[in-house]
Amino acid sequence: MKAMMMACAAIALALGAAVPAQAKGCLKGALVGGVAGHYAGHHGVLGAAAGCVIGRHEANKRARMERERQREGRRQNIDDRSM
């Protein structure tokens, strides 16, 4: 059982390194959620699905905040030039 979990973790990490940017957050969340679901009552698939959704939401939220921060920086630069 332990060897199988280690093999699954190794495969997930290998796949996570080769995933395009659109899946950002989903794989990490699915891995964590799957493990948590497995240990919480053998609901690994349900945990992986929920983890993917939550991970994707958090990645989108971080990306949105970064875009807003960059926009604010550009606005500040434009305001500084006009003075």
Side-chain angles (χ1 to χ4, degrees), residues 17-77:
V19 174
Q22 291 87 4
K24 197 171 199 175
C26 181
L27 288 178
K28 189 189 306 182
L31 181 64
V32 172
V35 170
H38 172 74
Y39 284 111
H42 299 288
H43 298 291
V45 175
L46 184 61
C52 178
V53 170
I54 292 168
R56 187 71 195 126
H57 171 72
E58 291 296 320
N60 284 337
K61 189 165 59 170
R62 254 183 266 119
R64 189 176 334 114
M65 287 173 47
E66 182 62 31
R67 283 192 307 266
E68 289 174 7
R69 200 172 330 151
Q70 288 176 355
R71 275 191 218 132
E72 288 299 318
R74 280 189 235 141
R75 287 182 189 157
Q76 185 66 31
N77 288 341

Short mmCIF file of all heavy atoms in Angstrom, two decimals, residues 17-77:
data_model
loop_
_atom_site.label_atom_id
_atom_site.label_comp_id
_atom_site.label_asym_id
_atom_site.label_seq_id
_atom_site.Cartn_x
_atom_site.Cartn_y
_atom_site.Cartn_z
N ALA A 17 4.80 18.56 -13.49
CA ALA A 17 5.89 19.34 -14.07
C ALA A 17 5.68 19.58 -15.57
O ALA A 17 6.22 20.52 -16.13
CB ALA A 17 7.22 18.64 -13.83
N ALA A 18 4.88 18.73 -16.22
CA ALA A 18 4.71 18.82 -17.67
C ALA A 18 3.35 19.37 -18.07
O ALA A 18 2.97 19.28 -19.22
CB ALA A 18 4.91 17.44 -18.27
N VAL A 19 2.60 19.95 -17.16
CA VAL A 19 1.25 20.42 -17.45
C VAL A 19 1.29 21.86 -17.93
O VAL A 19 2.04 22.67 -17.40
CB VAL A 19 0.37 20.29 -16.18
CG1 VAL A 19 -0.99 20.90 -16.41
CG2 VAL A 19 0.25 18.84 -15.80
N PRO A 20 0.49 22.20 -18.94
CA PRO A 20 0.45 23.58 -19.38
C PRO A 20 -0.11 24.50 -18.31
O PRO A 20 -0.72 24.06 -17.34
CB PRO A 20 -0.47 23.55 -20.60
CG PRO A 20 -1.12 22.24 -20.62
CD PRO A 20 -0.35 21.33 -19.73
N ALA A 21 0.04 25.79 -18.51
CA ALA A 21 -0.34 26.78 -17.50
C ALA A 21 -1.83 26.81 -17.21
O ALA A 21 -2.24 27.27 -16.16
CB ALA A 21 0.12 28.16 -17.96
N GLN A 22 -2.69 26.34 -18.11
CA GLN A 22 -4.12 26.39 -17.88
C GLN A 22 -4.54 25.53 -16.69
O GLN A 22 -5.58 25.76 -16.10
CB GLN A 22 -4.90 25.91 -19.11
CG GLN A 22 -4.82 26.83 -20.29
CD GLN A 22 -3.62 26.56 -21.17
OE1 GLN A 22 -2.87 25.62 -20.95
NE2 GLN A 22 -3.43 27.38 -22.17
N ALA A 23 -3.78 24.53 -16.34
CA ALA A 23 -4.15 23.64 -15.23
C ALA A 23 -3.53 24.10 -13.92
O ALA A 23 -3.51 23.35 -12.95
CB ALA A 23 -3.69 22.22 -15.55
N LYS A 24 -3.06 25.32 -13.88
CA LYS A 24 -2.39 25.82 -12.69
C LYS A 24 -3.33 25.75 -11.48
O LYS A 24 -4.45 26.22 -11.54
CB LYS A 24 -1.97 27.27 -12.92
CG LYS A 24 -0.95 27.76 -11.96
CD LYS A 24 -0.45 29.11 -12.42
CE LYS A 24 0.86 29.41 -11.75
NZ LYS A 24 1.43 30.63 -12.24
N GLY A 25 -2.87 25.16 -10.43
CA GLY A 25 -3.65 25.04 -9.22
C GLY A 25 -4.45 23.76 -9.13
O GLY A 25 -4.64 23.21 -8.05
N CYS A 26 -4.93 23.26 -10.26
CA CYS A 26 -5.79 22.09 -10.25
C CYS A 26 -5.03 20.84 -9.82
O CYS A 26 -5.51 20.09 -8.97
CB CYS A 26 -6.42 21.88 -11.62
SG CYS A 26 -7.53 20.47 -11.68
N LEU A 27 -3.88 20.61 -10.39
CA LEU A 27 -3.15 19.38 -10.07
C LEU A 27 -2.67 19.35 -8.63
O LEU A 27 -2.77 18.33 -7.96
CB LEU A 27 -1.98 19.19 -11.02
CG LEU A 27 -2.38 18.80 -12.43
CD1 LEU A 27 -1.17 18.70 -13.32
CD2 LEU A 27 -3.15 17.52 -12.42
N LYS A 28 -2.16 20.47 -8.17
CA LYS A 28 -1.70 20.52 -6.79
C LYS A 28 -2.87 20.30 -5.84
O LYS A 28 -2.78 19.53 -4.89
CB LYS A 28 -1.04 21.86 -6.50
CG LYS A 28 -0.36 21.91 -5.15
CD LYS A 28 0.10 23.30 -4.77
CE LYS A 28 0.98 23.97 -5.78
NZ LYS A 28 1.46 25.29 -5.36
N GLY A 29 -3.99 20.95 -6.10
CA GLY A 29 -5.17 20.78 -5.27
C GLY A 29 -5.72 19.37 -5.34
O GLY A 29 -6.16 18.81 -4.34
N ALA A 30 -5.70 18.79 -6.54
CA ALA A 30 -6.20 17.42 -6.70
C ALA A 30 -5.32 16.43 -5.95
O ALA A 30 -5.83 15.49 -5.33
CB ALA A 30 -6.26 17.05 -8.17
N LEU A 31 -4.04 16.63 -5.98
CA LEU A 31 -3.13 15.74 -5.27
C LEU A 31 -3.37 15.82 -3.76
O LEU A 31 -3.55 14.80 -3.10
CB LEU A 31 -1.67 16.09 -5.59
CG LEU A 31 -0.62 15.22 -4.92
CD1 LEU A 31 -0.74 13.79 -5.44
CD2 LEU A 31 0.75 15.76 -5.21
N VAL A 32 -3.43 17.02 -3.24
CA VAL A 32 -3.66 17.20 -1.80
C VAL A 32 -5.05 16.70 -1.42
O VAL A 32 -5.22 15.99 -0.42
CB VAL A 32 -3.47 18.68 -1.40
CG1 VAL A 32 -3.89 18.91 0.03
CG2 VAL A 32 -2.02 19.09 -1.61
N GLY A 33 -6.05 17.06 -2.21
CA GLY A 33 -7.42 16.63 -1.92
C GLY A 33 -7.60 15.13 -2.01
O GLY A 33 -8.33 14.53 -1.22
N GLY A 34 -6.93 14.51 -2.98
CA GLY A 34 -7.02 13.06 -3.12
C GLY A 34 -6.43 12.34 -1.93
O GLY A 34 -7.00 11.36 -1.42
N VAL A 35 -5.29 12.79 -1.48
CA VAL A 35 -4.65 12.17 -0.31
C VAL A 35 -5.51 12.39 0.93
O VAL A 35 -5.76 11.47 1.71
CB VAL A 35 -3.22 12.72 -0.11
CG1 VAL A 35 -2.65 12.27 1.22
CG2 VAL A 35 -2.33 12.28 -1.25
N ALA A 36 -6.00 13.63 1.11
CA ALA A 36 -6.84 13.92 2.27
C ALA A 36 -8.12 13.10 2.23
O ALA A 36 -8.55 12.55 3.25
CB ALA A 36 -7.15 15.40 2.32
N GLY A 37 -8.74 13.01 1.06
CA GLY A 37 -9.96 12.22 0.93
C GLY A 37 -9.72 10.74 1.18
O GLY A 37 -10.56 10.06 1.77
N HIS A 38 -8.58 10.25 0.74
CA HIS A 38 -8.25 8.84 0.97
C HIS A 38 -8.15 8.53 2.46
O HIS A 38 -8.69 7.55 2.95
CB HIS A 38 -6.94 8.48 0.27
CG HIS A 38 -6.43 7.12 0.62
ND1 HIS A 38 -7.01 5.98 0.13
CD2 HIS A 38 -5.42 6.72 1.43
CE1 HIS A 38 -6.37 4.93 0.61
NE2 HIS A 38 -5.40 5.36 1.41
N TYR A 39 -7.46 9.39 3.17
CA TYR A 39 -7.28 9.15 4.60
C TYR A 39 -8.53 9.51 5.41
O TYR A 39 -8.68 9.06 6.54
CB TYR A 39 -6.08 9.93 5.14
CG TYR A 39 -4.78 9.27 4.74
CD1 TYR A 39 -3.94 9.86 3.83
CD2 TYR A 39 -4.43 8.03 5.27
CE1 TYR A 39 -2.76 9.25 3.46
CE2 TYR A 39 -3.25 7.41 4.90
CZ TYR A 39 -2.42 8.02 3.99
OH TYR A 39 -1.27 7.41 3.62
N ALA A 40 -9.42 10.29 4.86
CA ALA A 40 -10.63 10.68 5.58
C ALA A 40 -11.77 9.69 5.40
O ALA A 40 -12.87 9.93 5.85
CB ALA A 40 -11.08 12.06 5.13
N GLY A 41 -11.54 8.60 4.73
CA GLY A 41 -12.61 7.62 4.60
C GLY A 41 -12.68 7.00 3.22
O GLY A 41 -13.76 6.68 2.75
N HIS A 42 -11.56 6.87 2.55
CA HIS A 42 -11.47 6.24 1.23
C HIS A 42 -12.34 6.95 0.19
O HIS A 42 -13.05 6.33 -0.59
CB HIS A 42 -11.83 4.75 1.32
CG HIS A 42 -10.91 4.00 2.21
ND1 HIS A 42 -9.62 3.73 1.85
CD2 HIS A 42 -11.08 3.50 3.46
CE1 HIS A 42 -9.04 3.07 2.84
NE2 HIS A 42 -9.90 2.93 3.83
N HIS A 43 -12.31 8.27 0.21
CA HIS A 43 -13.01 9.09 -0.78
C HIS A 43 -11.99 9.89 -1.58
O HIS A 43 -12.12 11.11 -1.73
CB HIS A 43 -14.00 10.03 -0.09
CG HIS A 43 -15.08 9.32 0.65
ND1 HIS A 43 -16.05 8.60 0.00
CD2 HIS A 43 -15.33 9.20 1.98
CE1 HIS A 43 -16.86 8.07 0.91
NE2 HIS A 43 -16.44 8.42 2.11
N GLY A 44 -10.97 9.22 -2.10
CA GLY A 44 -9.89 9.89 -2.80
C GLY A 44 -10.33 10.62 -4.04
O GLY A 44 -9.87 11.74 -4.32
N VAL A 45 -11.23 10.02 -4.82
CA VAL A 45 -11.67 10.65 -6.07
C VAL A 45 -12.47 11.91 -5.76
O VAL A 45 -12.28 12.95 -6.40
CB VAL A 45 -12.51 9.66 -6.90
CG1 VAL A 45 -13.08 10.33 -8.13
CG2 VAL A 45 -11.66 8.47 -7.31
N LEU A 46 -13.35 11.83 -4.79
CA LEU A 46 -14.13 12.99 -4.40
C LEU A 46 -13.22 14.11 -3.87
O LEU A 46 -13.38 15.28 -4.21
CB LEU A 46 -15.16 12.61 -3.34
CG LEU A 46 -16.12 13.70 -2.88
CD1 LEU A 46 -16.95 14.19 -4.06
CD2 LEU A 46 -17.02 13.15 -1.79
N GLY A 47 -12.24 13.73 -3.07
CA GLY A 47 -11.29 14.71 -2.56
C GLY A 47 -10.46 15.34 -3.66
O GLY A 47 -10.18 16.53 -3.64
N ALA A 48 -10.07 14.53 -4.65
CA ALA A 48 -9.28 15.06 -5.76
C ALA A 48 -10.10 16.05 -6.59
O ALA A 48 -9.59 17.09 -7.00
CB ALA A 48 -8.79 13.91 -6.64
N ALA A 49 -11.36 15.73 -6.82
CA ALA A 49 -12.22 16.64 -7.59
C ALA A 49 -12.41 17.97 -6.85
O ALA A 49 -12.29 19.04 -7.43
CB ALA A 49 -13.57 15.99 -7.87
N ALA A 50 -12.70 17.87 -5.56
CA ALA A 50 -12.87 19.09 -4.77
C ALA A 50 -11.57 19.88 -4.68
O ALA A 50 -11.57 21.11 -4.78
CB ALA A 50 -13.37 18.74 -3.37
N GLY A 51 -10.45 19.18 -4.52
CA GLY A 51 -9.16 19.85 -4.45
C GLY A 51 -8.83 20.57 -5.74
O GLY A 51 -8.26 21.66 -5.73
N CYS A 52 -9.18 19.97 -6.87
CA CYS A 52 -8.94 20.60 -8.17
C CYS A 52 -9.73 21.90 -8.29
O CYS A 52 -9.20 22.92 -8.71
CB CYS A 52 -9.31 19.64 -9.28
SG CYS A 52 -9.10 20.33 -10.92
N VAL A 53 -11.00 21.85 -7.90
CA VAL A 53 -11.84 23.04 -7.99
C VAL A 53 -11.31 24.15 -7.09
O VAL A 53 -11.18 25.31 -7.50
CB VAL A 53 -13.30 22.69 -7.62
CG1 VAL A 53 -14.15 23.94 -7.47
CG2 VAL A 53 -13.90 21.78 -8.68
N ILE A 54 -10.97 23.80 -5.87
CA ILE A 54 -10.47 24.80 -4.92
C ILE A 54 -9.11 25.34 -5.36
O ILE A 54 -8.86 26.55 -5.32
CB ILE A 54 -10.40 24.21 -3.50
CG1 ILE A 54 -11.81 23.95 -3.00
CG2 ILE A 54 -9.65 25.15 -2.56
CD1 ILE A 54 -11.87 23.12 -1.74
N GLY A 55 -8.24 24.44 -5.82
CA GLY A 55 -6.92 24.88 -6.29
C GLY A 55 -7.01 25.80 -7.48
O GLY A 55 -6.29 26.80 -7.58
N ARG A 56 -7.91 25.51 -8.40
CA ARG A 56 -8.08 26.36 -9.59
C ARG A 56 -8.63 27.73 -9.18
O ARG A 56 -8.21 28.76 -9.70
CB ARG A 56 -9.04 25.67 -10.56
CG ARG A 56 -9.17 26.36 -11.85
CD ARG A 56 -7.90 26.20 -12.68
NE ARG A 56 -7.91 27.16 -13.74
CZ ARG A 56 -6.96 28.03 -13.99
NH1 ARG A 56 -5.87 28.02 -13.27
NH2 ARG A 56 -7.06 28.88 -14.96
N HIS A 57 -9.57 27.74 -8.25
CA HIS A 57 -10.13 29.00 -7.76
C HIS A 57 -9.05 29.86 -7.13
O HIS A 57 -8.96 31.07 -7.40
CB HIS A 57 -11.24 28.72 -6.75
CG HIS A 57 -11.73 29.94 -6.04
ND1 HIS A 57 -12.48 30.90 -6.65
CD2 HIS A 57 -11.53 30.35 -4.76
CE1 HIS A 57 -12.74 31.86 -5.78
NE2 HIS A 57 -12.18 31.55 -4.63
N GLU A 58 -8.22 29.26 -6.30
CA GLU A 58 -7.15 30.01 -5.63
C GLU A 58 -6.13 30.53 -6.64
O GLU A 58 -5.64 31.64 -6.51
CB GLU A 58 -6.47 29.14 -4.57
CG GLU A 58 -7.36 28.84 -3.38
CD GLU A 58 -7.74 30.08 -2.61
OE1 GLU A 58 -6.89 30.98 -2.42
OE2 GLU A 58 -8.91 30.16 -2.19
N ALA A 59 -5.81 29.73 -7.67
CA ALA A 59 -4.86 30.17 -8.69
C ALA A 59 -5.43 31.35 -9.48
O ALA A 59 -4.72 32.31 -9.78
CB ALA A 59 -4.52 29.02 -9.63
N ASN A 60 -6.72 31.29 -9.80
CA ASN A 60 -7.37 32.40 -10.50
C ASN A 60 -7.37 33.66 -9.65
O ASN A 60 -7.16 34.76 -10.15
CB ASN A 60 -8.79 32.04 -10.90
CG ASN A 60 -8.85 31.12 -12.08
OD1 ASN A 60 -7.93 31.06 -12.88
ND2 ASN A 60 -9.93 30.38 -12.19
N LYS A 61 -7.64 33.50 -8.37
CA LYS A 61 -7.67 34.64 -7.46
C LYS A 61 -6.29 35.28 -7.37
O LYS A 61 -6.17 36.51 -7.43
CB LYS A 61 -8.14 34.18 -6.07
CG LYS A 61 -8.42 35.31 -5.12
CD LYS A 61 -9.21 34.89 -3.90
CE LYS A 61 -8.53 33.83 -3.09
NZ LYS A 61 -9.18 33.58 -1.78
N ARG A 62 -5.24 34.46 -7.26
CA ARG A 62 -3.87 34.99 -7.21
C ARG A 62 -3.51 35.71 -8.51
O ARG A 62 -2.90 36.78 -8.48
CB ARG A 62 -2.88 33.86 -6.95
CG ARG A 62 -2.35 33.88 -5.56
CD ARG A 62 -1.30 32.80 -5.34
NE ARG A 62 -1.99 31.64 -4.78
CZ ARG A 62 -2.06 30.44 -5.33
NH1 ARG A 62 -1.44 30.19 -6.44
NH2 ARG A 62 -2.71 29.48 -4.75
N ALA A 63 -3.90 35.13 -9.65
CA ALA A 63 -3.60 35.75 -10.94
C ALA A 63 -4.33 37.09 -11.09
O ALA A 63 -3.76 38.06 -11.59
CB ALA A 63 -3.99 34.81 -12.07
N ARG A 64 -5.58 37.15 -10.63
CA ARG A 64 -6.34 38.39 -10.70
C ARG A 64 -5.70 39.48 -9.84
O ARG A 64 -5.57 40.63 -10.25
CB ARG A 64 -7.78 38.14 -10.23
CG ARG A 64 -8.71 39.29 -10.45
CD ARG A 64 -10.16 38.97 -10.07
NE ARG A 64 -10.52 37.57 -10.15
CZ ARG A 64 -10.85 36.81 -9.09
NH1 ARG A 64 -10.86 37.33 -7.88
NH2 ARG A 64 -11.18 35.55 -9.25
N MET A 65 -5.27 39.11 -8.64
CA MET A 65 -4.62 40.08 -7.76
C MET A 65 -3.31 40.58 -8.37
O MET A 65 -2.99 41.78 -8.28
CB MET A 65 -4.36 39.46 -6.40
CG MET A 65 -5.62 39.28 -5.58
SD MET A 65 -5.42 38.37 -4.03
CE MET A 65 -3.99 39.08 -3.31
N GLU A 66 -2.57 39.70 -9.02
CA GLU A 66 -1.31 40.09 -9.65
C GLU A 66 -1.57 41.06 -10.82
O GLU A 66 -0.85 42.04 -10.98
CB GLU A 66 -0.56 38.85 -10.14
CG GLU A 66 0.77 39.15 -10.76
CD GLU A 66 1.75 39.81 -9.80
OE1 GLU A 66 1.69 39.53 -8.59
OE2 GLU A 66 2.59 40.61 -10.27
N ARG A 67 -2.59 40.77 -11.62
CA ARG A 67 -2.93 41.68 -12.73
C ARG A 67 -3.32 43.06 -12.21
O ARG A 67 -2.91 44.08 -12.76
CB ARG A 67 -4.08 41.10 -13.56
CG ARG A 67 -3.66 40.01 -14.50
CD ARG A 67 -4.76 39.69 -15.49
NE ARG A 67 -6.04 39.40 -14.86
CZ ARG A 67 -6.49 38.19 -14.56
NH1 ARG A 67 -5.74 37.14 -14.80
NH2 ARG A 67 -7.68 38.03 -14.02
N GLU A 68 -4.11 43.10 -11.13
CA GLU A 68 -4.51 44.38 -10.55
C GLU A 68 -3.31 45.14 -10.01
O GLU A 68 -3.22 46.36 -10.17
CB GLU A 68 -5.54 44.16 -9.45
CG GLU A 68 -6.89 43.73 -9.96
CD GLU A 68 -7.85 43.37 -8.85
OE1 GLU A 68 -7.52 43.58 -7.67
OE2 GLU A 68 -8.94 42.87 -9.18
N ARG A 69 -2.38 44.42 -9.39
CA ARG A 69 -1.18 45.06 -8.85
C ARG A 69 -0.34 45.65 -9.99
O ARG A 69 0.20 46.74 -9.87
CB ARG A 69 -0.37 44.03 -8.07
CG ARG A 69 0.59 44.63 -7.12
CD ARG A 69 1.24 43.63 -6.21
NE ARG A 69 0.39 42.47 -5.95
CZ ARG A 69 0.83 41.27 -5.68
NH1 ARG A 69 2.11 41.03 -5.62
NH2 ARG A 69 0.01 40.27 -5.45
N GLN A 70 -0.25 44.93 -11.11
CA GLN A 70 0.51 45.44 -12.25
C GLN A 70 -0.17 46.67 -12.85
O GLN A 70 0.50 47.63 -13.23
CB GLN A 70 0.67 44.36 -13.30
CG GLN A 70 1.64 43.28 -12.91
CD GLN A 70 1.71 42.17 -13.93
OE1 GLN A 70 0.96 42.16 -14.91
NE2 GLN A 70 2.62 41.23 -13.72
N ARG A 71 -1.50 46.65 -12.94
CA ARG A 71 -2.23 47.82 -13.46
C ARG A 71 -2.00 49.04 -12.57
O ARG A 71 -1.82 50.14 -13.07
CB ARG A 71 -3.72 47.52 -13.53
CG ARG A 71 -4.11 46.83 -14.78
CD ARG A 71 -5.62 46.79 -14.91
NE ARG A 71 -5.97 45.51 -15.49
CZ ARG A 71 -6.91 44.70 -15.06
NH1 ARG A 71 -7.65 45.04 -14.03
NH2 ARG A 71 -7.13 43.57 -15.64
N GLU A 72 -2.05 48.84 -11.27
CA GLU A 72 -1.83 49.95 -10.35
C GLU A 72 -0.42 50.51 -10.52
O GLU A 72 -0.22 51.72 -10.46
CB GLU A 72 -2.06 49.51 -8.91
CG GLU A 72 -3.51 49.27 -8.57
CD GLU A 72 -4.36 50.52 -8.73
OE1 GLU A 72 -3.92 51.60 -8.34
OE2 GLU A 72 -5.48 50.38 -9.26
N GLY A 73 0.54 49.64 -10.73
CA GLY A 73 1.92 50.09 -10.95
C GLY A 73 2.05 50.91 -12.21
O GLY A 73 2.74 51.93 -12.25
N ARG A 74 1.36 50.50 -13.27
CA ARG A 74 1.39 51.25 -14.52
C ARG A 74 0.71 52.60 -14.37
O ARG A 74 1.18 53.60 -14.87
CB ARG A 74 0.71 50.45 -15.64
CG ARG A 74 1.60 49.40 -16.22
CD ARG A 74 0.99 48.80 -17.45
NE ARG A 74 0.96 47.36 -17.21
CZ ARG A 74 0.00 46.55 -17.57
NH1 ARG A 74 -1.05 47.00 -18.19
NH2 ARG A 74 0.06 45.27 -17.31
N ARG A 75 -0.41 52.62 -13.65
CA ARG A 75 -1.11 53.90 -13.43
C ARG A 75 -0.22 54.84 -12.63
O ARG A 75 -0.18 56.03 -12.90
CB ARG A 75 -2.41 53.66 -12.68
CG ARG A 75 -3.48 53.04 -13.51
CD ARG A 75 -4.75 52.88 -12.72
NE ARG A 75 -5.70 52.08 -13.47
CZ ARG A 75 -6.68 51.41 -12.94
NH1 ARG A 75 -6.86 51.43 -11.63
NH2 ARG A 75 -7.50 50.72 -13.68
N GLN A 76 0.47 54.33 -11.66
CA GLN A 76 1.37 55.15 -10.84
C GLN A 76 2.48 55.72 -11.71
O GLN A 76 2.83 56.90 -11.57
CB GLN A 76 1.95 54.32 -9.69
CG GLN A 76 2.79 55.11 -8.73
CD GLN A 76 1.95 56.12 -7.96
OE1 GLN A 76 0.78 55.88 -7.69
NE2 GLN A 76 2.55 57.22 -7.62
N ASN A 77 3.04 54.91 -12.62
CA ASN A 77 4.10 55.39 -13.50
C ASN A 77 3.60 56.49 -14.43
O ASN A 77 4.29 57.47 -14.67
CB ASN A 77 4.67 54.25 -14.33
CG ASN A 77 5.51 53.31 -13.49
OD1 ASN A 77 5.96 53.67 -12.41
ND2 ASN A 77 5.71 52.10 -13.98
#
